[in-house]
Amino acid sequence: PHRRVWKLSTRTQNDRGEQLYQARYELVDNDNDDTNNDKKDGWYRVRIPFDSFKLVRGPRQVPDGPALNVSGGIYQIGLTMSKFDM
């Protein structure tokens, strides 16, 4: 797990294509850290701003990809532990 990266993935359309939006986040096991993580009762609360999401295709970021637009809603959300960093 230490060589892996946690990512949150989302889709805004009802399709199963390879392109989706991902944002990387870290879980730090420290009650006094300065990240966007809170840990209470053994559970983490992770805050990931929408502007942190990048368009990816497979394991690669799409250069100059459009920003995530959630004005039409979110279709899917997923958590991933990946060996590919963004």
Side-chain angles (χ1 to χ4, degrees), residues 30-53:
N30 182 350
D31 293 332
N32 298 316
D33 66 71
D34 291 331
T35 65
N36 286 328
N37 298 335
D38 291 333
K39 185 176 181 184
K40 295 184 181 189
D41 300 326
W43 291 90
Y44 284 97
R45 179 181 297 166
V46 180
R47 294 180 182 98
I48 304 172
F50 283 120
D51 61 0
S52 296
F53 285 83

PDB file of all heavy atoms in Angstrom, residues 30-53:
ATOM      1  N   ASN A  30      -2.201  10.934  11.205  1.00  0.00           N
ATOM      2  CA  ASN A  30      -1.665  11.887  12.147  1.00  0.00           C
ATOM      3  C   ASN A  30      -2.790  12.836  12.512  1.00  0.00           C
ATOM      4  O   ASN A  30      -3.375  13.484  11.650  1.00  0.00           O
ATOM      5  CB  ASN A  30      -0.495  12.650  11.504  1.00  0.00           C
ATOM      6  CG  ASN A  30       0.145  13.622  12.462  1.00  0.00           C
ATOM      7  OD1 ASN A  30      -0.369  13.882  13.538  1.00  0.00           O
ATOM      8  ND2 ASN A  30       1.267  14.182  12.064  1.00  0.00           N
ATOM      9  N   ASP A  31      -3.102  12.941  13.773  1.00  0.00           N
ATOM     10  CA  ASP A  31      -4.219  13.777  14.202  1.00  0.00           C
ATOM     11  C   ASP A  31      -3.945  15.266  14.065  1.00  0.00           C
ATOM     12  O   ASP A  31      -4.863  16.068  14.103  1.00  0.00           O
ATOM     13  CB  ASP A  31      -4.575  13.468  15.661  1.00  0.00           C
ATOM     14  CG  ASP A  31      -5.129  12.060  15.803  1.00  0.00           C
ATOM     15  OD1 ASP A  31      -5.720  11.564  14.834  1.00  0.00           O
ATOM     16  OD2 ASP A  31      -4.946  11.462  16.876  1.00  0.00           O
ATOM     17  N   ASN A  32      -2.683  15.669  13.894  1.00  0.00           N
ATOM     18  CA  ASN A  32      -2.341  17.088  13.822  1.00  0.00           C
ATOM     19  C   ASN A  32      -1.732  17.463  12.479  1.00  0.00           C
ATOM     20  O   ASN A  32      -0.899  18.350  12.399  1.00  0.00           O
ATOM     21  CB  ASN A  32      -1.357  17.448  14.945  1.00  0.00           C
ATOM     22  CG  ASN A  32      -1.965  17.217  16.307  1.00  0.00           C
ATOM     23  OD1 ASN A  32      -3.108  17.568  16.542  1.00  0.00           O
ATOM     24  ND2 ASN A  32      -1.214  16.614  17.200  1.00  0.00           N
ATOM     25  N   ASP A  33      -2.139  16.816  11.403  1.00  0.00           N
ATOM     26  CA  ASP A  33      -1.546  17.141  10.106  1.00  0.00           C
ATOM     27  C   ASP A  33      -2.219  18.368   9.505  1.00  0.00           C
ATOM     28  O   ASP A  33      -3.278  18.787   9.938  1.00  0.00           O
ATOM     29  CB  ASP A  33      -1.621  15.947   9.152  1.00  0.00           C
ATOM     30  CG  ASP A  33      -3.036  15.582   8.768  1.00  0.00           C
ATOM     31  OD1 ASP A  33      -3.625  16.364   8.008  1.00  0.00           O
ATOM     32  OD2 ASP A  33      -3.542  14.541   9.224  1.00  0.00           O
ATOM     33  N   ASP A  34      -1.607  18.947   8.487  1.00  0.00           N
ATOM     34  CA  ASP A  34      -2.119  20.151   7.837  1.00  0.00           C
ATOM     35  C   ASP A  34      -2.774  19.853   6.495  1.00  0.00           C
ATOM     36  O   ASP A  34      -2.952  20.740   5.683  1.00  0.00           O
ATOM     37  CB  ASP A  34      -0.985  21.157   7.619  1.00  0.00           C
ATOM     38  CG  ASP A  34      -0.479  21.733   8.934  1.00  0.00           C
ATOM     39  OD1 ASP A  34      -1.281  21.812   9.891  1.00  0.00           O
ATOM     40  OD2 ASP A  34       0.702  22.095   9.002  1.00  0.00           O
ATOM     41  N   THR A  35      -3.139  18.608   6.240  1.00  0.00           N
ATOM     42  CA  THR A  35      -3.790  18.259   4.980  1.00  0.00           C
ATOM     43  C   THR A  35      -5.294  18.478   5.102  1.00  0.00           C
ATOM     44  O   THR A  35      -5.780  18.960   6.114  1.00  0.00           O
ATOM     45  CB  THR A  35      -3.513  16.787   4.611  1.00  0.00           C
ATOM     46  OG1 THR A  35      -4.121  15.959   5.604  1.00  0.00           O
ATOM     47  CG2 THR A  35      -2.028  16.502   4.532  1.00  0.00           C
ATOM     48  N   ASN A  36      -6.023  18.083   4.098  1.00  0.00           N
ATOM     49  CA  ASN A  36      -7.477  18.205   4.118  1.00  0.00           C
ATOM     50  C   ASN A  36      -8.137  16.967   4.699  1.00  0.00           C
ATOM     51  O   ASN A  36      -9.251  16.629   4.334  1.00  0.00           O
ATOM     52  CB  ASN A  36      -8.007  18.456   2.698  1.00  0.00           C
ATOM     53  CG  ASN A  36      -7.730  19.865   2.247  1.00  0.00           C
ATOM     54  OD1 ASN A  36      -7.701  20.772   3.046  1.00  0.00           O
ATOM     55  ND2 ASN A  36      -7.518  20.040   0.966  1.00  0.00           N
ATOM     56  N   ASN A  37      -7.461  16.258   5.576  1.00  0.00           N
ATOM     57  CA  ASN A  37      -7.997  15.034   6.163  1.00  0.00           C
ATOM     58  C   ASN A  37      -8.393  15.265   7.614  1.00  0.00           C
ATOM     59  O   ASN A  37      -7.702  15.926   8.358  1.00  0.00           O
ATOM     60  CB  ASN A  37      -6.956  13.912   6.139  1.00  0.00           C
ATOM     61  CG  ASN A  37      -6.539  13.528   4.748  1.00  0.00           C
ATOM     62  OD1 ASN A  37      -7.264  13.715   3.798  1.00  0.00           O
ATOM     63  ND2 ASN A  37      -5.339  12.998   4.628  1.00  0.00           N
ATOM     64  N   ASP A  38      -9.513  14.704   7.999  1.00  0.00           N
ATOM     65  CA  ASP A  38      -9.932  14.652   9.399  1.00  0.00           C
ATOM     66  C   ASP A  38     -10.110  13.191   9.748  1.00  0.00           C
ATOM     67  O   ASP A  38     -10.601  12.410   8.945  1.00  0.00           O
ATOM     68  CB  ASP A  38     -11.280  15.357   9.611  1.00  0.00           C
ATOM     69  CG  ASP A  38     -11.194  16.860   9.442  1.00  0.00           C
ATOM     70  OD1 ASP A  38     -10.115  17.410   9.674  1.00  0.00           O
ATOM     71  OD2 ASP A  38     -12.216  17.460   9.086  1.00  0.00           O
ATOM     72  N   LYS A  39      -9.711  12.807  10.955  1.00  0.00           N
ATOM     73  CA  LYS A  39      -9.902  11.430  11.391  1.00  0.00           C
ATOM     74  C   LYS A  39     -10.644  11.460  12.716  1.00  0.00           C
ATOM     75  O   LYS A  39     -10.185  12.040  13.684  1.00  0.00           O
ATOM     76  CB  LYS A  39      -8.569  10.716  11.549  1.00  0.00           C
ATOM     77  CG  LYS A  39      -8.727   9.252  11.892  1.00  0.00           C
ATOM     78  CD  LYS A  39      -7.387   8.549  11.943  1.00  0.00           C
ATOM     79  CE  LYS A  39      -7.569   7.087  12.274  1.00  0.00           C
ATOM     80  NZ  LYS A  39      -6.304   6.405  12.425  1.00  0.00           N
ATOM     81  N   LYS A  40     -11.824  10.845  12.703  1.00  0.00           N
ATOM     82  CA  LYS A  40     -12.632  10.778  13.918  1.00  0.00           C
ATOM     83  C   LYS A  40     -13.168   9.375  14.054  1.00  0.00           C
ATOM     84  O   LYS A  40     -13.693   8.812  13.099  1.00  0.00           O
ATOM     85  CB  LYS A  40     -13.787  11.774  13.841  1.00  0.00           C
ATOM     86  CG  LYS A  40     -13.305  13.208  13.801  1.00  0.00           C
ATOM     87  CD  LYS A  40     -14.449  14.174  13.814  1.00  0.00           C
ATOM     88  CE  LYS A  40     -13.881  15.576  13.754  1.00  0.00           C
ATOM     89  NZ  LYS A  40     -14.835  16.594  13.957  1.00  0.00           N
ATOM     90  N   ASP A  41     -13.032   8.815  15.234  1.00  0.00           N
ATOM     91  CA  ASP A  41     -13.557   7.476  15.516  1.00  0.00           C
ATOM     92  C   ASP A  41     -13.040   6.428  14.537  1.00  0.00           C
ATOM     93  O   ASP A  41     -13.763   5.508  14.165  1.00  0.00           O
ATOM     94  CB  ASP A  41     -15.089   7.487  15.507  1.00  0.00           C
ATOM     95  CG  ASP A  41     -15.663   8.437  16.550  1.00  0.00           C
ATOM     96  OD1 ASP A  41     -15.039   8.564  17.615  1.00  0.00           O
ATOM     97  OD2 ASP A  41     -16.709   9.041  16.288  1.00  0.00           O
ATOM     98  N   GLY A  42     -11.801   6.569  14.084  1.00  0.00           N
ATOM     99  CA  GLY A  42     -11.214   5.589  13.176  1.00  0.00           C
ATOM    100  C   GLY A  42     -11.569   5.785  11.711  1.00  0.00           C
ATOM    101  O   GLY A  42     -11.101   5.056  10.857  1.00  0.00           O
ATOM    102  N   TRP A  43     -12.408   6.762  11.385  1.00  0.00           N
ATOM    103  CA  TRP A  43     -12.815   7.042  10.006  1.00  0.00           C
ATOM    104  C   TRP A  43     -12.138   8.321   9.535  1.00  0.00           C
ATOM    105  O   TRP A  43     -11.996   9.278  10.280  1.00  0.00           O
ATOM    106  CB  TRP A  43     -14.328   7.233   9.913  1.00  0.00           C
ATOM    107  CG  TRP A  43     -15.086   5.979  10.138  1.00  0.00           C
ATOM    108  CD1 TRP A  43     -15.538   5.498  11.332  1.00  0.00           C
ATOM    109  CD2 TRP A  43     -15.479   5.031   9.150  1.00  0.00           C
ATOM    110  NE1 TRP A  43     -16.191   4.309  11.152  1.00  0.00           N
ATOM    111  CE2 TRP A  43     -16.176   4.002   9.809  1.00  0.00           C
ATOM    112  CE3 TRP A  43     -15.316   4.950   7.779  1.00  0.00           C
ATOM    113  CZ2 TRP A  43     -16.701   2.907   9.149  1.00  0.00           C
ATOM    114  CZ3 TRP A  43     -15.843   3.868   7.113  1.00  0.00           C
ATOM    115  CH2 TRP A  43     -16.525   2.860   7.797  1.00  0.00           C
ATOM    116  N   TYR A  44     -11.758   8.330   8.272  1.00  0.00           N
ATOM    117  CA  TYR A  44     -11.184   9.531   7.672  1.00  0.00           C
ATOM    118  C   TYR A  44     -12.266  10.329   6.960  1.00  0.00           C
ATOM    119  O   TYR A  44     -13.143   9.758   6.321  1.00  0.00           O
ATOM    120  CB  TYR A  44     -10.123   9.174   6.622  1.00  0.00           C
ATOM    121  CG  TYR A  44      -8.810   8.729   7.198  1.00  0.00           C
ATOM    122  CD1 TYR A  44      -8.525   7.386   7.342  1.00  0.00           C
ATOM    123  CD2 TYR A  44      -7.847   9.654   7.565  1.00  0.00           C
ATOM    124  CE1 TYR A  44      -7.309   6.970   7.857  1.00  0.00           C
ATOM    125  CE2 TYR A  44      -6.631   9.252   8.078  1.00  0.00           C
ATOM    126  CZ  TYR A  44      -6.365   7.906   8.224  1.00  0.00           C
ATOM    127  OH  TYR A  44      -5.170   7.498   8.721  1.00  0.00           O
ATOM    128  N   ARG A  45     -12.183  11.620   7.039  1.00  0.00           N
ATOM    129  CA  ARG A  45     -12.996  12.512   6.221  1.00  0.00           C
ATOM    130  C   ARG A  45     -12.012  13.237   5.303  1.00  0.00           C
ATOM    131  O   ARG A  45     -11.119  13.934   5.774  1.00  0.00           O
ATOM    132  CB  ARG A  45     -13.752  13.523   7.064  1.00  0.00           C
ATOM    133  CG  ARG A  45     -14.578  14.475   6.211  1.00  0.00           C
ATOM    134  CD  ARG A  45     -15.301  15.495   7.047  1.00  0.00           C
ATOM    135  NE  ARG A  45     -16.247  14.808   7.913  1.00  0.00           N
ATOM    136  CZ  ARG A  45     -16.847  15.384   8.943  1.00  0.00           C
ATOM    137  NH1 ARG A  45     -16.571  16.637   9.248  1.00  0.00           N
ATOM    138  NH2 ARG A  45     -17.697  14.709   9.679  1.00  0.00           N
ATOM    139  N   VAL A  46     -12.170  13.052   4.018  1.00  0.00           N
ATOM    140  CA  VAL A  46     -11.250  13.618   3.034  1.00  0.00           C
ATOM    141  C   VAL A  46     -11.984  14.685   2.243  1.00  0.00           C
ATOM    142  O   VAL A  46     -13.079  14.441   1.737  1.00  0.00           O
ATOM    143  CB  VAL A  46     -10.723  12.521   2.074  1.00  0.00           C
ATOM    144  CG1 VAL A  46      -9.779  13.111   1.055  1.00  0.00           C
ATOM    145  CG2 VAL A  46     -10.049  11.408   2.863  1.00  0.00           C
ATOM    146  N   ARG A  47     -11.392  15.857   2.145  1.00  0.00           N
ATOM    147  CA  ARG A  47     -11.975  16.946   1.355  1.00  0.00           C
ATOM    148  C   ARG A  47     -11.176  17.088   0.066  1.00  0.00           C
ATOM    149  O   ARG A  47      -9.978  17.343   0.109  1.00  0.00           O
ATOM    150  CB  ARG A  47     -11.946  18.239   2.143  1.00  0.00           C
ATOM    151  CG  ARG A  47     -12.827  18.212   3.355  1.00  0.00           C
ATOM    152  CD  ARG A  47     -12.760  19.537   4.107  1.00  0.00           C
ATOM    153  NE  ARG A  47     -13.562  19.491   5.299  1.00  0.00           N
ATOM    154  CZ  ARG A  47     -13.091  19.247   6.517  1.00  0.00           C
ATOM    155  NH1 ARG A  47     -11.816  19.026   6.696  1.00  0.00           N
ATOM    156  NH2 ARG A  47     -13.896  19.212   7.553  1.00  0.00           N
ATOM    157  N   ILE A  48     -11.876  16.941  -1.054  1.00  0.00           N
ATOM    158  CA  ILE A  48     -11.231  17.043  -2.358  1.00  0.00           C
ATOM    159  C   ILE A  48     -12.000  18.067  -3.180  1.00  0.00           C
ATOM    160  O   ILE A  48     -13.138  17.814  -3.573  1.00  0.00           O
ATOM    161  CB  ILE A  48     -11.205  15.685  -3.082  1.00  0.00           C
ATOM    162  CG1 ILE A  48     -10.516  14.640  -2.208  1.00  0.00           C
ATOM    163  CG2 ILE A  48     -10.495  15.813  -4.429  1.00  0.00           C
ATOM    164  CD1 ILE A  48     -10.604  13.236  -2.738  1.00  0.00           C
ATOM    165  N   PRO A  49     -11.413  19.234  -3.448  1.00  0.00           N
ATOM    166  CA  PRO A  49     -12.105  20.251  -4.241  1.00  0.00           C
ATOM    167  C   PRO A  49     -12.353  19.763  -5.673  1.00  0.00           C
ATOM    168  O   PRO A  49     -11.547  19.018  -6.235  1.00  0.00           O
ATOM    169  CB  PRO A  49     -11.137  21.439  -4.252  1.00  0.00           C
ATOM    170  CG  PRO A  49     -10.125  21.148  -3.205  1.00  0.00           C
ATOM    171  CD  PRO A  49     -10.103  19.678  -2.997  1.00  0.00           C
ATOM    172  N   PHE A  50     -13.472  20.180  -6.267  1.00  0.00           N
ATOM    173  CA  PHE A  50     -13.780  19.763  -7.629  1.00  0.00           C
ATOM    174  C   PHE A  50     -12.691  20.191  -8.611  1.00  0.00           C
ATOM    175  O   PHE A  50     -12.439  19.501  -9.590  1.00  0.00           O
ATOM    176  CB  PHE A  50     -15.135  20.320  -8.074  1.00  0.00           C
ATOM    177  CG  PHE A  50     -16.301  19.567  -7.507  1.00  0.00           C
ATOM    178  CD1 PHE A  50     -17.232  20.206  -6.709  1.00  0.00           C
ATOM    179  CD2 PHE A  50     -16.477  18.221  -7.770  1.00  0.00           C
ATOM    180  CE1 PHE A  50     -18.309  19.516  -6.181  1.00  0.00           C
ATOM    181  CE2 PHE A  50     -17.550  17.514  -7.248  1.00  0.00           C
ATOM    182  CZ  PHE A  50     -18.464  18.169  -6.447  1.00  0.00           C
ATOM    183  N   ASP A  51     -12.018  21.314  -8.355  1.00  0.00           N
ATOM    184  CA  ASP A  51     -10.980  21.740  -9.299  1.00  0.00           C
ATOM    185  C   ASP A  51      -9.706  20.903  -9.206  1.00  0.00           C
ATOM    186  O   ASP A  51      -8.790  21.079  -9.995  1.00  0.00           O
ATOM    187  CB  ASP A  51     -10.672  23.230  -9.160  1.00  0.00           C
ATOM    188  CG  ASP A  51     -10.148  23.617  -7.784  1.00  0.00           C
ATOM    189  OD1 ASP A  51     -10.014  22.747  -6.906  1.00  0.00           O
ATOM    190  OD2 ASP A  51      -9.882  24.816  -7.593  1.00  0.00           O
ATOM    191  N   SER A  52      -9.651  19.945  -8.272  1.00  0.00           N
ATOM    192  CA  SER A  52      -8.513  19.018  -8.195  1.00  0.00           C
ATOM    193  C   SER A  52      -8.639  17.857  -9.173  1.00  0.00           C
ATOM    194  O   SER A  52      -7.662  17.154  -9.422  1.00  0.00           O
ATOM    195  CB  SER A  52      -8.393  18.437  -6.783  1.00  0.00           C
ATOM    196  OG  SER A  52      -8.120  19.433  -5.858  1.00  0.00           O
ATOM    197  N   PHE A  53      -9.832  17.640  -9.710  1.00  0.00           N
ATOM    198  CA  PHE A  53     -10.056  16.518 -10.612  1.00  0.00           C
ATOM    199  C   PHE A  53      -9.486  16.813 -11.991  1.00  0.00           C
ATOM    200  O   PHE A  53      -9.675  17.905 -12.529  1.00  0.00           O
ATOM    201  CB  PHE A  53     -11.558  16.210 -10.730  1.00  0.00           C
ATOM    202  CG  PHE A  53     -12.114  15.515  -9.527  1.00  0.00           C
ATOM    203  CD1 PHE A  53     -12.502  16.236  -8.414  1.00  0.00           C
ATOM    204  CD2 PHE A  53     -12.235  14.144  -9.505  1.00  0.00           C
ATOM    205  CE1 PHE A  53     -13.005  15.610  -7.298  1.00  0.00           C
ATOM    206  CE2 PHE A  53     -12.740  13.489  -8.396  1.00  0.00           C
ATOM    207  CZ  PHE A  53     -13.122  14.228  -7.293  1.00  0.00           C
TER     208      PHE A  53
END
